[in-house]
Amino acid sequence: MSLENKYFIRFNFSKEQIEHTLSGAYRDISISETDAILDVKFTYAYMALIKGGIALLGHHQLKIKSIPGHQAMIIEKLAQILNDQSIEIMGNTMRQKRNQDFYSGGIEVTEKECKEYLDFVRSVLEKIEEHILSS
């Protein structure tokens, strides 16, 4: 089974579905930017990144399967489509930190880290929106 078949299926997403998912990503980044709790900021920034990736995949008529490793694949495809390896590096850093929080009893996120993550995710969402609008 190829990687594409293991993680993705072709799916005919409507423009409205893609817009709704991207809107959800922007809602999450907005929550992240306005909440005072650092863990909430981080969690919502990560969710915004993943939802943005899902919207971009939907634009390319790809649907991710919910199997182990699927969020890593969203991040990888996001970096490939936007031709920006920094997305894979920073996205995986966030994913690993989130996994550490989930499976290793919690994390501490600093204010400086949160600012870096928020700036990064905001810029990725803007690239996703630009890509969708231009193609």
Side-chain angles (χ1 to χ4, degrees):
M1 176 182 275
S2 77
L3 194 63
E4 295 286 315
N5 292 332
K6 181 176 179 184
Y7 287 98
F8 301 102
I9 58 172
R10 288 276 169 205
F11 190 85
N12 190 21
F13 286 94
S14 70
K15 182 178 178 187
E16 292 77 24
Q17 288 172 307
I18 296 163
E19 289 172 356
H20 181 73
T21 304
L22 188 57
S23 174
Y26 274 110
R27 182 191 67 237
D28 287 353
I29 197 68
S30 177
I31 291 168
S32 183
E33 291 169 336
T34 57
D35 200 282
I37 301 170
L38 296 178
D39 287 355
V40 172
K41 287 179 165 301
F42 171 75
T43 299
Y44 275 86
Y46 180 73
M47 289 190 320
L49 178 66
I50 296 302
K51 286 179 185 177
I54 291 169
L56 183 62
L57 290 170
H59 177 71
H60 287 274
Q61 304 304 304
L62 290 172
K63 183 176 182 179
I64 189 78
K65 295 178 184 177
S66 184
I67 60 174
H70 73 284
Q71 290 184 358
M73 291 307 303
I74 291 170
I75 293 166
E76 183 179 314
K77 276 292 191 192
L78 182 57
Q80 286 175 0
I81 293 169
L82 296 178
N83 196 28
D84 184 346
Q85 281 312 110
S86 70
I87 293 171
E88 189 167 3
I89 294 165
M90 184 70 112
N92 275 317
T93 299
M94 291 179 76
R95 182 183 60 76
Q96 289 166 352
K97 193 166 201 82
R98 178 233 171 229
N99 285 349
Q100 198 176 11
D101 184 33
F102 251 47
Y103 304 112
S104 298
I107 56 166
E108 283 193 34
V109 183
T110 67
E111 197 165 326
K112 181 181 181 229
E113 284 177 308
C114 276
K115 176 160 179 21
E116 289 174 9
Y117 293 142
L118 291 173
D119 291 346
F120 162 72
V121 174
R122 172 66 70 181
S123 92
V124 171
L125 291 178
E126 289 169 359
K127 289 177 185 179
I128 290 168
E129 186 171 29
E130 183 180 314
H131 179 88
I132 289 172
L133 292 175
S134 70
S135 57

